[in-house]
Amino acid sequence: MKINHSTPENSIALTTSLQYITGPHWEPPTIPNATTYWRCSSCGRESIRERDLHRTTFHAPSCEVQEC
């Protein structure tokens, strides 16, 4: 599987989002079909696709990423 790490359209500035995006995190091996995920350290939202965290609409309204 090929992963595209390019910046998606409608993205927030990388300098803003990168300070809040953490990951990849691994799910515990006890979970069936465990995978990796990414998390916003400001609002706590998670996704298995890093590119989701580069969109302002993904974050909670009170998230610091929204304010930048």
Side-chain angles (χ1 to χ4, degrees):
M1 181 167 90
K2 185 176 180 181
I3 298 175
N4 184 355
H5 289 287
S6 63
T7 306
E9 290 183 34
N10 305 337
S11 69
I12 55 181
L14 286 179
T15 55
T16 302
S17 63
L18 286 180
Q19 59 187 323
Y20 297 105
I21 295 174
T22 61
H25 302 283
W26 289 91
E27 292 181 321
T30 55
I31 296 177
N33 300 321
T35 186
T36 59
Y37 62 95
W38 300 83
R39 177 186 301 131
C40 174
S41 62
S42 177
C43 66
R45 293 198 176 172
E46 301 172 344
S47 177
I48 60 171
R49 294 177 302 275
E50 180 186 9
R51 68 181 176 264
D52 288 344
L53 280 84
H54 291 282
R55 294 186 176 99
T56 55
T57 55
F58 176 83
H59 297 271
S62 60
C63 183
E64 292 179 37
V65 173
Q66 293 281 24
E67 297 171 5
C68 297

